[in-house]
Amino acid sequence: MASLQSACVATSRTNQLLCAHSGLVFASLLALGVFGIAGWMPLIPPGMSAADVAMEFQANRWRIRLGMSVLAFGSVFWWTMSAAIAMQMKRIEGASHPLTYVQMASSCGTVLIALLAAYFWLIAAYRAETSPANIQLLNDLAWITFIGFYPPAFIQNVAIGWCILTDRNEVQAYPRWVGYANIWIAVLFVPGALLPFFHGGPFAWNGVIGFWLVAVAFFGWIFMMWRMTVRAIRNDPSLG
Amino acid sequence: MQLAKQAATSPGESAGSAARVTPGEIRVPGESGFWILILGDLTAFALMFCVFIYYRGHDVGLYLDSQLRLNRAFGALNVVLLLTSSWCVVQGVEAFRERITQRARRCFGAGFLLGAGFVVVKVLEYGDKVREGIAASTNEFFMFFYVLTGIHLLHLVIGLGVLAWMRAKSRSEWSTHRDVALAECGGVYWHMVDLLWVALFALLYLLR
Amino acid sequence: MESGRPASSTTTVWLVLLVASAASLWLGSDATDRSHTAAAVGVLAIAFAKIWLIVRYFMEVRFAPLWLRLSLDAWVAGVFVAITALYLTFAVG
């Protein structure tokens, strides 16, 4: 009986670690798909004319479709990573764990960002011979979704941060600074709200604030939560 | 669990006593982790300040002309309101530490009112500009004006919530080390809102 | 009112801050016949001096451990230098 118990614990530990590491898979596939294969570094500027956008999709339709397929596949690993974080939050909250639900539910938002954007771009490349206005619309749909869709990510991070900061257990899953960092990064996502107002400049989807600040915060968060969640799994007393 | 946590002492504070600060004692105001939020937010704003100056450099004439349409009086009044509000909050945190609840409540209340005054002035200022037909899309200078002061205003409104919480917390005679640390965090956040306005006032209203 | 406690020094700082604000308001107005550049650098210097005072005295960082004091001093100094440098780069001509 005891060996079955410890086997279950070992499996649980392995699965949690797999989920935690999957965050890196998400980040890598996203970067590979969008920046590597599709080659959108620098990003397609919002101020680009419809004709030029259409030309981009016609000229590069194979690269774009391949890159977006990679992005689409990679998007689901945000769920697996969020599940690892959810396990820690459940450990912190105990029997009554509303914040865990908030975190898990809002993680769907970020998965949607990657999935929807990937499919909008895929469709634009699929029918690249359609009118430039259509292509531009699909392109706009994709970019604004991909970068500006901040509310779910915001509430996901706030839930994590709040959970960590109200942790009353003896063994803290995450150190308190991680809680504060989550709140800060949540705030850094808010400039996404400005994207629909600008076709250029620092607050547009390719701007210093609109893109770069948000992107650095986003990838920084993934790296931080990856390291700190693995650490949390390792210091979990219930996992031995 | 909860009692065990609250009885835990931090360096320099004896268990069970009021969270008295020995003048000159070296300690982190609030708690260490909280400063990630402050330093992080300060860094984000620093980036925005630099971006503003950079963009300004490419069209100085436009920025100088547009700046003349700003109401300096409103800006300066807001500086005074926030500086005084910060002063009140400093007194309030002191009183909170000493468990002088009446004074703490009055100080936080005053700080809140002065901060609310800032909001009123800002709304009046925005209203004036809108009536003159100036929006964020008018030109680059006003884009920065609205976005930067808008983000600051958001921070301030959150700060008002923090001050209200601190005032409510001052009600009970019994507050823990944790409460004092949180009150200090709240104070530090408010002072950050204050100092960000000092920077914005200089950059937007005074820099010629 | 506690006298001789940190409260009185923060009151002094508050008064200094108000005076400094008035000074920078004067510097920043077109009423002066100084060159824009010198006045602008003055405005920035006063602003960041005020910020430093707020950090030291209002945030009570003067009682903080070295790492925190240095981080904040570095921010104040760094941002002041960056902004002033950027301003001066574009101010010439």
Side-chain angles (χ1 to χ4, degrees):
Chain A
M1 222 49 199
S3 64
L4 181 63
Q5 177 91 322
S6 62
C8 288
V9 166
T11 308
S12 172
R13 194 165 183 278
T14 307
N15 287 345
Q16 286 193 43
L17 282 171
L18 279 174
C19 285
H21 291 311
S22 68
L24 288 185
V25 176
F26 172 84
S28 312
L29 291 180
L30 188 156
L32 177 66
V34 179
F35 308 132
I37 299 176
W40 287 335
M41 181 51 68
L43 312 184
I44 297 179
M48 209 182 225
S49 71
D52 286 337
V53 174
M55 227 165 40
E56 160 71 21
F57 278 84
Q58 279 156 17
N60 289 323
R61 44 195 324 184
W62 280 103
R63 288 180 62 184
I64 292 173
R65 280 184 287 192
L66 189 56
M68 294 312 118
S69 302
V70 170
L71 172 66
F73 182 71
S75 67
V76 297
F77 292 102
W78 184 266
W79 265 324
T80 51
M81 183 181 179
S82 299
I85 298 175
M87 283 305 296
Q88 296 310 313
M89 291 174 73
K90 185 154 181 284
R91 166 188 163 191
I92 293 173
E93 291 188 272
S96 159
H97 44 269
L99 297 175
T100 306
Y101 291 136
V102 172
Q103 199 263 157
M104 209 57 225
S106 53
S107 72
C108 297
T110 307
V111 174
L112 268 180
I113 289 176
L115 265 178
L116 279 177
Y119 278 92
F120 290 144
W121 279 317
L122 269 168
I123 292 166
Y126 180 64
R127 293 276 187 218
E129 62 277 1
T130 186
S131 75
N134 285 350
I135 302 285
Q136 188 180 47
L137 183 63
L138 282 167
N139 186 54
D140 285 344
L141 269 170
W143 281 110
I144 299 277
T145 306
F146 192 57
I147 302 180
F149 210 83
Y150 76 95
F154 173 80
I155 203 69
Q156 181 176 7
N157 280 14
V158 168
I160 297 173
W162 185 256
C163 180
I164 295 174
L165 290 175
T166 53
D167 183 354
R168 296 274 199 256
N169 296 308
E170 264 193 51
V171 181
Q172 303 256 287
Y174 295 102
R176 282 184 73 79
W177 68 261
V178 176
Y180 285 116
N182 268 280
I183 306 272
W184 171 48
I185 292 175
V187 169
L188 286 183
F189 289 157
V190 176
L194 294 171
L195 295 194
F197 296 91
F198 299 103
H199 290 165
F203 303 110
W205 81 50
N206 64 343
V208 171
I209 306 293
F211 172 69
W212 287 103
L213 182 63
V214 172
V216 168
F218 185 67
F219 284 100
W221 181 91
I222 293 176
F223 183 77
M224 171 183 75
M225 290 310 286
W226 166 61
R227 292 299 305 271
M228 302 313 292
T229 304
V230 168
R231 179 186 171 276
I233 294 169
R234 296 212 170 115
N235 82 8
D236 188 348
S238 71
L239 290 177
Chain B
M1 278 293 154
Q2 189 141 355
L3 286 171
K5 195 87 182 120
Q6 281 170 0
T9 56
S10 42
E13 293 177 293
S14 46
S17 69
R20 203 136 269 163
V21 179
T22 319
E25 175 200 342
I26 301 288
R27 49 190 283 281
V28 177
E31 60 170 303
S32 323
F34 178 71
W35 285 94
I36 287 193
L37 230 161
I38 299 292
L39 285 166
D41 219 18
L42 286 176
T43 307
F45 269 95
L47 178 67
M48 288 195 275
F49 295 157
C50 291
V51 168
F52 169 73
I53 297 289
Y54 176 80
Y55 272 80
R56 180 183 184 275
H58 291 117
D59 203 347
V60 181
L62 172 76
Y63 279 64
L64 284 175
D65 287 339
S66 307
Q67 188 183 41
L68 289 172
R69 304 175 72 179
L70 284 184
N71 191 328
R72 285 237 175 91
F74 279 158
L77 175 59
N78 274 340
V79 170
V80 173
L81 284 173
L82 275 191
L83 286 178
T84 313
S85 175
S86 265
W87 179 85
C88 290
V89 170
V90 171
Q91 310 310 314
V93 171
E94 284 273 326
F96 191 97
R97 271 201 288 258
E98 304 286 318
R99 310 279 175 83
I100 310 171
T101 52
Q102 263 293 70
R103 182 172 158 78
R105 278 172 57 78
R106 267 188 273 118
C107 288
F108 291 141
F112 181 94
L113 284 175
L114 290 165
F118 183 105
V119 177
V120 169
V121 172
K122 211 79 209 108
V123 168
L124 287 174
E125 186 179 12
Y126 283 162
D128 262 0
K129 289 280 160 296
V130 167
R131 260 189 300 274
E132 289 169 42
I134 300 172
S137 49
T138 303
N139 66 34
E140 212 172 69
F141 174 82
F142 283 108
M143 170 190 81
F144 278 111
F145 171 75
Y146 276 107
V147 172
L148 291 180
T149 59
I151 292 177
H152 175 264
L153 189 63
L154 251 166
H155 278 78
L156 190 138
V157 168
I158 292 171
L160 287 179
V162 170
L163 288 183
W165 173 84
M166 283 158 74
R167 185 170 180 272
K169 259 298 179 178
S170 313
R171 188 162 297 214
S172 60
E173 295 285 339
W174 181 83
S175 55
T176 63
H177 298 282
R178 196 185 193 91
D179 289 336
V180 172
L182 286 176
E184 286 181 349
C185 289
V188 167
Y189 176 81
W190 188 252
H191 301 313
M192 184 188 74
V193 171
D194 180 17
L195 75 85
L196 287 173
W197 183 252
V198 168
L200 282 176
F201 179 59
L203 289 173
L204 291 171
Y205 294 77
L206 299 180
L207 200 68
R208 307 276 317 144
Chain C
M1 184 75 155
E2 302 86 0
S3 56
R5 300 210 71 249
S8 55
S9 68
T10 54
T11 307
T12 312
V13 167
W14 172 68
L15 288 168
V16 168
L17 287 171
L18 289 178
V19 169
S21 305
S24 63
L25 191 62
W26 177 77
L27 266 180
S29 62
D30 265 349
T32 68
D33 56 4
R34 299 180 206 292
S35 82
H36 283 171
T37 313
V41 175
V43 161
L44 289 174
I46 292 179
F48 281 90
K50 284 161 69 180
I51 289 174
W52 185 83
L53 283 173
I54 292 172
V55 168
R56 277 276 152 145
Y57 287 89
F58 285 3
M59 289 185 175
E60 298 179 308
V61 166
R62 68 202 153 124
F63 297 131
L66 190 64
W67 64 266
L68 188 57
R69 267 185 287 138
L70 284 180
S71 309
L72 287 163
D73 284 350
W75 185 88
V76 176
V79 180
F80 170 65
V81 166
I83 292 181
T84 308
L86 279 169
Y87 172 82
L88 289 172
T89 311
F90 295 109
V92 184

PDB file of all heavy atoms in Angstrom, chain B residues 14 18 29-30 40 44 68 75 83 85 108 110 121 123 131 150 171 176 201:
ATOM      1  N   SER B  14      10.908  43.727  19.022  1.00  0.00           N
ATOM      2  CA  SER B  14      10.720  42.687  20.035  1.00  0.00           C
ATOM      3  C   SER B  14       9.314  42.121  19.934  1.00  0.00           C
ATOM      4  O   SER B  14       8.372  42.825  19.593  1.00  0.00           O
ATOM      5  CB  SER B  14      10.955  43.257  21.430  1.00  0.00           C
ATOM      6  OG  SER B  14      10.288  44.489  21.562  1.00  0.00           O
ATOM      7  N   ALA B  18       4.546  47.009  20.692  1.00  0.00           N
ATOM      8  CA  ALA B  18       4.097  47.851  19.592  1.00  0.00           C
ATOM      9  C   ALA B  18       5.222  47.911  18.566  1.00  0.00           C
ATOM     10  O   ALA B  18       6.377  47.769  18.911  1.00  0.00           O
ATOM     11  CB  ALA B  18       3.785  49.247  20.100  1.00  0.00           C
ATOM     12  N   PRO B  29      11.699  49.942   4.747  1.00  0.00           N
ATOM     13  CA  PRO B  29      10.330  50.464   4.931  1.00  0.00           C
ATOM     14  C   PRO B  29       9.338  49.501   4.278  1.00  0.00           C
ATOM     15  O   PRO B  29       9.518  49.106   3.131  1.00  0.00           O
ATOM     16  CB  PRO B  29      10.359  51.805   4.178  1.00  0.00           C
ATOM     17  CG  PRO B  29      11.787  52.140   4.002  1.00  0.00           C
ATOM     18  CD  PRO B  29      12.529  50.849   3.939  1.00  0.00           C
ATOM     19  N   GLY B  30       8.303  49.113   4.986  1.00  0.00           N
ATOM     20  CA  GLY B  30       7.341  48.161   4.430  1.00  0.00           C
ATOM     21  C   GLY B  30       7.918  46.753   4.497  1.00  0.00           C
ATOM     22  O   GLY B  30       8.160  46.220   5.559  1.00  0.00           O
ATOM     23  N   GLY B  40      10.114  48.556  -9.946  1.00  0.00           N
ATOM     24  CA  GLY B  40       9.617  48.162 -11.255  1.00  0.00           C
ATOM     25  C   GLY B  40       8.780  49.245 -11.899  1.00  0.00           C
ATOM     26  O   GLY B  40       8.978  49.596 -13.067  1.00  0.00           O
ATOM     27  N   ALA B  44       9.505  51.482 -15.287  1.00  0.00           N
ATOM     28  CA  ALA B  44       8.581  51.625 -16.413  1.00  0.00           C
ATOM     29  C   ALA B  44       8.345  53.103 -16.720  1.00  0.00           C
ATOM     30  O   ALA B  44       8.360  53.520 -17.881  1.00  0.00           O
ATOM     31  CB  ALA B  44       7.267  50.915 -16.108  1.00  0.00           C
ATOM     32  N   LEU B  68       2.654  75.630 -24.434  1.00  0.00           N
ATOM     33  CA  LEU B  68       2.131  76.926 -24.006  1.00  0.00           C
ATOM     34  C   LEU B  68       0.634  76.869 -23.752  1.00  0.00           C
ATOM     35  O   LEU B  68       0.087  77.707 -23.034  1.00  0.00           O
ATOM     36  CB  LEU B  68       2.440  77.985 -25.068  1.00  0.00           C
ATOM     37  CG  LEU B  68       3.901  78.372 -25.180  1.00  0.00           C
ATOM     38  CD1 LEU B  68       4.127  79.285 -26.382  1.00  0.00           C
ATOM     39  CD2 LEU B  68       4.354  79.068 -23.895  1.00  0.00           C
ATOM     40  N   GLY B  75      -1.218  72.635 -12.990  1.00  0.00           N
ATOM     41  CA  GLY B  75      -0.101  71.735 -12.734  1.00  0.00           C
ATOM     42  C   GLY B  75       0.569  72.034 -11.404  1.00  0.00           C
ATOM     43  O   GLY B  75       0.843  71.122 -10.614  1.00  0.00           O
ATOM     44  N   LEU B  83       2.270  67.144  -2.669  1.00  0.00           N
ATOM     45  CA  LEU B  83       3.354  67.253  -1.686  1.00  0.00           C
ATOM     46  C   LEU B  83       2.778  67.310  -0.272  1.00  0.00           C
ATOM     47  O   LEU B  83       3.266  66.641   0.642  1.00  0.00           O
ATOM     48  CB  LEU B  83       4.206  68.496  -1.953  1.00  0.00           C
ATOM     49  CG  LEU B  83       5.150  68.442  -3.145  1.00  0.00           C
ATOM     50  CD1 LEU B  83       5.878  69.773  -3.309  1.00  0.00           C
ATOM     51  CD2 LEU B  83       6.168  67.327  -2.983  1.00  0.00           C
ATOM     52  N   SER B  85      -0.218  66.302   0.623  1.00  0.00           N
ATOM     53  CA  SER B  85      -0.851  65.015   0.899  1.00  0.00           C
ATOM     54  C   SER B  85       0.185  64.004   1.376  1.00  0.00           C
ATOM     55  O   SER B  85      -0.052  63.244   2.323  1.00  0.00           O
ATOM     56  CB  SER B  85      -1.541  64.526  -0.378  1.00  0.00           C
ATOM     57  OG  SER B  85      -2.056  63.247  -0.194  1.00  0.00           O
ATOM     58  N   PHE B 108      -4.512  60.323   7.496  1.00  0.00           N
ATOM     59  CA  PHE B 108      -4.831  59.600   6.268  1.00  0.00           C
ATOM     60  C   PHE B 108      -6.038  60.219   5.583  1.00  0.00           C
ATOM     61  O   PHE B 108      -6.120  60.300   4.359  1.00  0.00           O
ATOM     62  CB  PHE B 108      -5.080  58.116   6.552  1.00  0.00           C
ATOM     63  CG  PHE B 108      -3.847  57.359   6.961  1.00  0.00           C
ATOM     64  CD1 PHE B 108      -3.905  56.384   7.948  1.00  0.00           C
ATOM     65  CD2 PHE B 108      -2.617  57.623   6.368  1.00  0.00           C
ATOM     66  CE1 PHE B 108      -2.767  55.693   8.336  1.00  0.00           C
ATOM     67  CE2 PHE B 108      -1.477  56.943   6.744  1.00  0.00           C
ATOM     68  CZ  PHE B 108      -1.545  55.970   7.736  1.00  0.00           C
ATOM     69  N   ALA B 110      -6.909  63.377   5.714  1.00  0.00           N
ATOM     70  CA  ALA B 110      -6.462  64.610   5.069  1.00  0.00           C
ATOM     71  C   ALA B 110      -5.718  64.294   3.773  1.00  0.00           C
ATOM     72  O   ALA B 110      -5.938  64.936   2.742  1.00  0.00           O
ATOM     73  CB  ALA B 110      -5.559  65.396   6.013  1.00  0.00           C
ATOM     74  N   VAL B 121      -8.982  68.676  -9.796  1.00  0.00           N
ATOM     75  CA  VAL B 121      -8.226  69.610 -10.634  1.00  0.00           C
ATOM     76  C   VAL B 121      -7.933  68.998 -11.998  1.00  0.00           C
ATOM     77  O   VAL B 121      -8.048  69.639 -13.042  1.00  0.00           O
ATOM     78  CB  VAL B 121      -6.913  70.024  -9.940  1.00  0.00           C
ATOM     79  CG1 VAL B 121      -6.033  70.838 -10.871  1.00  0.00           C
ATOM     80  CG2 VAL B 121      -7.213  70.801  -8.671  1.00  0.00           C
ATOM     81  N   VAL B 123      -9.586  66.630 -13.563  1.00  0.00           N
ATOM     82  CA  VAL B 123     -10.816  66.542 -14.351  1.00  0.00           C
ATOM     83  C   VAL B 123     -11.147  67.906 -14.955  1.00  0.00           C
ATOM     84  O   VAL B 123     -11.498  68.018 -16.135  1.00  0.00           O
ATOM     85  CB  VAL B 123     -11.978  66.012 -13.493  1.00  0.00           C
ATOM     86  CG1 VAL B 123     -13.302  66.180 -14.206  1.00  0.00           C
ATOM     87  CG2 VAL B 123     -11.754  64.542 -13.157  1.00  0.00           C
ATOM     88  N   ARG B 131     -12.797  71.019 -24.148  1.00  0.00           N
ATOM     89  CA  ARG B 131     -13.637  72.126 -24.644  1.00  0.00           C
ATOM     90  C   ARG B 131     -12.891  72.943 -25.679  1.00  0.00           C
ATOM     91  O   ARG B 131     -13.485  73.459 -26.621  1.00  0.00           O
ATOM     92  CB  ARG B 131     -14.062  73.034 -23.482  1.00  0.00           C
ATOM     93  CG  ARG B 131     -15.481  72.754 -22.986  1.00  0.00           C
ATOM     94  CD  ARG B 131     -15.918  73.816 -21.997  1.00  0.00           C
ATOM     95  NE  ARG B 131     -15.041  73.868 -20.836  1.00  0.00           N
ATOM     96  CZ  ARG B 131     -15.186  73.113 -19.764  1.00  0.00           C
ATOM     97  NH1 ARG B 131     -16.160  72.246 -19.708  1.00  0.00           N
ATOM     98  NH2 ARG B 131     -14.336  73.211 -18.750  1.00  0.00           N
ATOM     99  N   GLY B 150      -2.670  60.418 -17.734  1.00  0.00           N
ATOM    100  CA  GLY B 150      -3.744  59.451 -17.527  1.00  0.00           C
ATOM    101  C   GLY B 150      -3.273  58.245 -16.747  1.00  0.00           C
ATOM    102  O   GLY B 150      -3.929  57.797 -15.791  1.00  0.00           O
ATOM    103  N   ARG B 171      -8.498  52.200  12.559  1.00  0.00           N
ATOM    104  CA  ARG B 171      -9.616  52.240  13.500  1.00  0.00           C
ATOM    105  C   ARG B 171      -9.329  51.432  14.750  1.00  0.00           C
ATOM    106  O   ARG B 171      -9.554  51.882  15.853  1.00  0.00           O
ATOM    107  CB  ARG B 171     -10.861  51.695  12.790  1.00  0.00           C
ATOM    108  CG  ARG B 171     -12.145  51.844  13.567  1.00  0.00           C
ATOM    109  CD  ARG B 171     -13.305  51.704  12.628  1.00  0.00           C
ATOM    110  NE  ARG B 171     -13.272  52.792  11.653  1.00  0.00           N
ATOM    111  CZ  ARG B 171     -14.348  53.359  11.154  1.00  0.00           C
ATOM    112  NH1 ARG B 171     -15.512  52.938  11.509  1.00  0.00           N
ATOM    113  NH2 ARG B 171     -14.251  54.327  10.280  1.00  0.00           N
ATOM    114  N   THR B 176      -1.149  44.528  14.008  1.00  0.00           N
ATOM    115  CA  THR B 176       0.032  43.667  14.108  1.00  0.00           C
ATOM    116  C   THR B 176       1.223  44.283  13.373  1.00  0.00           C
ATOM    117  O   THR B 176       1.100  45.291  12.686  1.00  0.00           O
ATOM    118  CB  THR B 176      -0.274  42.307  13.470  1.00  0.00           C
ATOM    119  OG1 THR B 176      -0.549  42.553  12.075  1.00  0.00           O
ATOM    120  CG2 THR B 176      -1.488  41.670  14.109  1.00  0.00           C
ATOM    121  N   PHE B 201       5.363  67.007 -13.958  1.00  0.00           N
ATOM    122  CA  PHE B 201       5.166  68.455 -13.970  1.00  0.00           C
ATOM    123  C   PHE B 201       6.354  69.147 -14.634  1.00  0.00           C
ATOM    124  O   PHE B 201       6.190  70.025 -15.488  1.00  0.00           O
ATOM    125  CB  PHE B 201       4.978  68.957 -12.534  1.00  0.00           C
ATOM    126  CG  PHE B 201       4.791  70.447 -12.415  1.00  0.00           C
ATOM    127  CD1 PHE B 201       3.745  71.084 -13.052  1.00  0.00           C
ATOM    128  CD2 PHE B 201       5.668  71.222 -11.668  1.00  0.00           C
ATOM    129  CE1 PHE B 201       3.561  72.457 -12.959  1.00  0.00           C
ATOM    130  CE2 PHE B 201       5.499  72.598 -11.549  1.00  0.00           C
ATOM    131  CZ  PHE B 201       4.445  73.214 -12.203  1.00  0.00           C
TER     132      PHE B 201
END
